[in-house]
Amino acid sequence: MQLHLEGSNAIKASADRVYSMLTDPGFVAKTLPDAEDVRVLDGSSLEAKIKLRIAVVSSTLRMRLTIGKTAPPTKATMTAEGSGSGSAMKITSVFELSGGPSTTMRWSADADITGVMAGIGSTLLKGFATKKVSEIFTSITAAVEAAA
Amino acid sequence: MERLFQASVDEVGKLIGLGKSELSILEDADVAADELLVSEYEKYLERKYNPEVPAVLARHNLMGVPIQERYGGRGARQLVESLFLERLGQTGLGVITFVDVHLCLGSLAVQDWGTQEQKERYLPGAAKGDVVFAYGLTEPEAGSDPASLRTTYVKDGDGYRLSGSKYLISNGSIATNLIAFARPADGKGVTAFVVDTSDKGFSVDMRLEEKIGLFTSDTSLLTLDDVHVDREDLLGEEGKGLSLAYAALLNGRIGIGSGCLGVMEDCLNQVRERTTSRVQHGKEIARHQLIQRHVAFIESNLEACRWLDYRAALKKDEYEKDLRNLALRADADRLSAVAKYMSSRSAFESADRAVQCFGGFGYSIMSPVAKHFLDSRVARIYEGTDEIMELKIASSVLGREFEAYR
Ligand SMILES: Cc1cc2nc3c(=O)[nH]c(=O)nc-3n(C[C@H](O)[C@H](O)[C@H](O)COP(=O)(O)OP(=O)(O)OC[C@H]3O[C@@H](n4cnc5c(N)ncnc54)[C@H](O)[C@@H]3O)c2cc1C
């Protein structure tokens, strides 16, 4: 099942600063919500067990995240791929930064979900994914602003 | 707009012509339904009432869709109200139960049968969401036969005192006002009252959470222990409460029928997505003919019920313009019973077939179609059971002298 999400966030920090943090696996490792056993593998990737909770039901997926510095300091990509609890997921996202001194981060993500989780259906999954993505960006924004 | 809903809006638009303000109600309904999806599903999994429903509807100015504009509502015709409920029905019957009771059984009873003073007192609040209605007809000993209800009232100075129990009351523990039906302690005839749920003597005895579905809708057992009601809160004429109760149910049944259309639409969407992506025996299961039979069943029932519901809505609009016309009322009553009877059965069977198409995952409460399967069963029970609808429809054909429930 394929999902497409997109949105934008305002971050009170310069684009250079946001870019360097967002593409630093060590920083991403610290800001991922509901993540366990986070391991930075090298300068562009990390691994983590991510808990996805839907009301009373939760699944754990072991994910590998790979960051691509496509066009510093404005464009980066992040691929998250993994499986667990009978589901598998691959998310490819693109971030574009603009503006200053505050930065607007425009992002889009394409997800391919298979297995048990796909049965929930795209309409509901999109609702949950939107909620989850907003949690992740709130967490990243707060961390970047706190560090800036 | 959601694809199937857009098709309904287009068809109805061709039929009756939809104005700008009517289209804006439907666009708001489309957005609100999307917003409610996640919380409805989460609360269903937690088996809890969903407080987001009134909040989201109020935010989109949808708490008073059929309430006249002069009272702060959006003045929707019945068919527009039906489309609004059709879209909300896609999120499940939990949402529909809240709205149907608040609007069709509560607000419209006041709008159609209340005094000018009652309309001014309750309807602006109802349209904003400050007033939430519940409808108390059923009692522990009186369900299909409301004429046997036991809640009583006595005259008390300038008002009345009500005592009794009301069972299985939707919105019961969250309502600000209950339309309560009672008989005189020393006489005949049933009378309707608008009870303030914050009044002394009113209590929520039990929140009925042990249901087999419809968890996101509040259902309660209420006790009225000598609750004082002012004379101004007697609704309609004294002794004519049952007629008012049945008129409200006429509204309600069209609403339930509309909600069931939404259930079928969501079943169809879910089945389409699942069966065209799930592969067994080397091909998508949608390519197996026996799966296509389920798809055909849901689609045909949806189309058939759509027109029954729209026809009932059109008749109701005719009757609204002439509320004292008994022949029109009988016709609207018959058509609303037919629409509710067919749509509720079709929605339940569609959900059952959708579960079948999903296979083992369909049997998990996590599957969206299992939610419809559990929730939609109630539509064959409340606001008149299947059997009562059958008796009502048959006697509308055979004549009143054949009314089997007399
Ligand atoms: C979740 C839920 C929410 C509800 N919300 C409300 C609400 O907001 N307000 C409210 O007032 N009520 C509400 N109800 C009550 C509902 O309207 C009644 O349950 C329904 O009318 C049936 O009444 P009963 O449960 O007493 O069943 P009974 O009347 O005892 O019926 C039992 C069975 O006997 C059959 N039967 C009864 N009489 C006849 C007959 N003459 N001929 C053939 N068969 C007959 C019925 O069809 C049924 O199959 C709700 C119910 C539920 C489950």
Side-chain angles (χ1 to χ4, degrees):
Chain A
M1 165 178 309
Q2 263 95 37
L3 287 182
H4 176 78
L5 299 174
E6 55 187 35
S8 69
N9 285 64
I11 306 177
K12 287 194 208 100
S14 70
D16 281 348
R17 181 97 185 130
V18 175
Y19 193 87
S20 72
M21 297 184 102
L22 207 68
T23 52
D24 170 8
F27 174 78
V28 174
K30 278 185 252 158
T31 56
L32 278 180
D34 294 323
E36 282 171 17
D37 295 346
V38 188
R39 271 196 319 137
V40 175
L41 301 175
D42 52 39
S44 64
S45 57
L46 64 146
E47 244 182 27
K49 266 196 205 164
I50 309 242
K51 205 169 227 161
L52 294 175
R53 213 187 318 267
I54 296 180
V56 288
V57 186
S58 68
S59 329
T60 307
L61 280 82
R62 176 156 279 289
M63 306 286 286
R64 187 191 174 105
L65 278 71
T66 310
I67 299 162
K69 295 180 182 176
T70 325
T74 55
K75 196 169 177 183
T77 58
M78 191 184 292
T79 312
E81 193 167 3
S83 60
S85 307
S87 301
M89 194 180 285
K90 181 172 181 182
I91 305 168
T92 313
S93 41
V94 180
F95 305 88
E96 282 184 87
L97 307 179
S98 62
S102 260
T103 301
T104 302
M105 175 169 69
R106 260 180 255 291
W107 56 268
S108 67
D110 287 289
D112 189 11
I113 302 165
T114 53
V116 175
M117 208 178 279
I120 293 169
S122 62
T123 327
L124 263 171
L125 276 179
K126 193 163 182 173
F128 279 108
T130 307
K131 202 172 150 191
K132 186 77 191 169
V133 165
S134 128
E135 259 172 50
I136 292 173
F137 281 119
T138 307
S139 161
I140 290 178
T141 305
V144 172
E145 286 177 357
Chain B
M1 276 190 195
E2 190 281 327
R3 193 177 56 89
L4 292 177
F5 179 57
Q6 177 77 65
S8 295
V9 172
D10 291 346
E11 281 302 323
V12 170
K14 278 183 226 154
L15 194 68
I16 61 166
L18 292 170
K20 224 169 141 192
S21 62
E22 293 178 314
L23 283 170
S24 110
I25 296 173
L26 302 174
E27 278 155 13
D28 291 345
D30 192 55
V31 175
D34 276 345
E35 271 179 36
L36 281 171
L37 212 60
V38 168
S39 65
E40 263 303 286
Y41 184 69
E42 283 181 322
K43 288 293 167 192
Y44 150 79
L45 289 176
E46 289 167 15
R47 294 175 161 250
K48 290 273 179 265
Y49 161 68
N50 183 9
E52 279 293 299
V53 177
V56 169
L57 294 177
R59 195 157 65 235
H60 292 284
N61 193 15
L62 293 168
M63 284 291 281
V65 167
I67 294 174
Q68 289 163 1
E69 280 160 309
R70 71 180 122 147
Y71 302 117
R74 299 184 73 172
R77 294 181 270 181
Q78 179 63 56
L79 201 39
V80 175
E81 184 194 341
S82 288
L83 285 173
F84 154 68
L85 287 163
E86 180 175 326
R87 179 62 176 97
L88 290 186
Q90 293 183 3
T91 64
L93 282 189
V95 176
I96 291 301
T97 305
F98 170 82
V99 182
D100 194 72
V101 170
H102 169 65
L103 284 177
C104 306
L105 301 185
S107 307
L108 287 183
V110 173
Q111 179 159 289
D112 288 347
W113 308 101
T115 60
Q116 189 55 37
E117 192 269 331
Q118 285 170 336
K119 293 180 202 186
E120 281 163 14
R121 189 140 48 99
Y122 293 114
L123 296 180
K128 268 200 253 152
D130 299 338
V131 167
V132 170
F133 280 110
Y135 171 91
L137 187 62
T138 306
E139 299 183 354
E141 300 298 334
S144 299
D145 178 18
S148 64
L149 63 82
R150 296 178 182 184
T151 297
T152 56
Y153 68 91
V154 289
K155 285 225 158 65
D156 173 43
D158 210 17
Y160 308 89
R161 288 196 172 274
L162 268 65
S163 294
S165 283
K166 294 291 173 184
Y167 181 48
L168 288 164
I169 304 306
S170 303
N171 302 350
S173 80
I174 55 159
T176 56
N177 293 87
L178 169 75
I179 311 281
F181 299 88
R183 62 176 63 260
D186 53 358
K188 280 191 173 170
V190 169
T191 299
F193 299 90
V194 186
V195 174
D196 186 331
T197 59
S198 64
D199 274 352
K200 199 164 156 264
F202 178 93
S203 61
V204 177
D205 253 3
M206 211 193 283
R207 292 183 74 171
L208 305 170
E209 288 179 333
E210 71 287 8
K211 294 170 289 190
I212 59 174
L214 213 72
F215 311 124
T216 59
S217 160
D218 173 63
T219 318
S220 296
L221 170 64
L222 310 174
T223 294
L224 302 163
D225 183 10
D226 238 6
V227 180
H228 176 83
V229 177
D230 291 335
R231 200 178 50 172
E232 297 75 51
D233 279 327
L234 188 153
L235 186 61
E237 286 175 49
E238 191 167 6
K240 296 276 172 65
L242 275 184
S243 170
L244 191 148
Y246 298 147
L249 286 169
L250 188 165
N251 295 328
R253 284 172 189 147
I254 302 178
I256 298 301
S258 309
C260 286
L261 298 181
V263 170
M264 286 184 258
E265 286 168 359
D266 195 47
C267 287
L268 201 59
N269 281 335
Q270 301 290 353
V271 162
R272 190 164 174 251
E273 182 171 289
R274 176 74 176 180
T275 61
T276 53
S277 57
R278 174 87 175 163
V279 174
Q280 292 293 290
H281 298 105
K283 54 186 177 186
E284 295 97 325
I285 57 172
R287 294 190 190 278
H288 299 303
Q289 291 176 358
L290 293 178
I291 289 291
Q292 292 191 1
R293 188 205 273 168
H294 295 309
V295 175
F297 175 93
I298 302 172
E299 166 67 3
S300 323
N301 276 264
L302 169 60
E303 276 305 334
C305 291
R306 222 176 228 152
W307 294 104
L308 290 176
D309 199 61
Y310 298 166
R311 182 155 139 76
L314 285 172
K315 188 57 76 180
K316 166 74 198 322
D317 266 335
E318 237 183 280
Y319 164 56
E320 277 280 295
K321 293 187 189 106
D322 189 3
L323 284 170
R324 310 271 158 201
N325 185 328
L326 293 181
L328 261 182
R329 172 170 169 162
D331 222 14
D333 205 26
R334 173 179 66 87
L335 289 172
S336 73
V338 172
K340 191 253 182 192
Y341 173 67
M342 295 297 292
S343 301
S344 55
R345 293 170 71 88
S346 298
F348 180 64
E349 192 166 348
S350 296
D352 183 32
R353 284 173 183 259
V355 166
Q356 198 65 22
C357 290
F358 268 62
F361 187 68
Y363 194 64
S364 159
I365 58 158
M366 292 289 287
S367 80
V369 290
K371 178 176 185 296
H372 287 313
F373 179 71
L374 296 176
D375 286 355
S376 65
R377 185 64 181 85
V378 76
R380 296 179 53 193
I381 296 171
Y382 64 15
E383 301 201 22
T385 61
D386 276 358
E387 291 78 9
I388 295 302
M389 293 302 95
E390 284 166 347
L391 301 186
K392 200 172 169 59
I393 295 162
S395 69
S396 76
V397 175
L398 299 168
R400 288 199 70 181
E401 65 274 29
F402 286 91
E403 274 180 352
Y405 38 68
R406 275 180 181 253

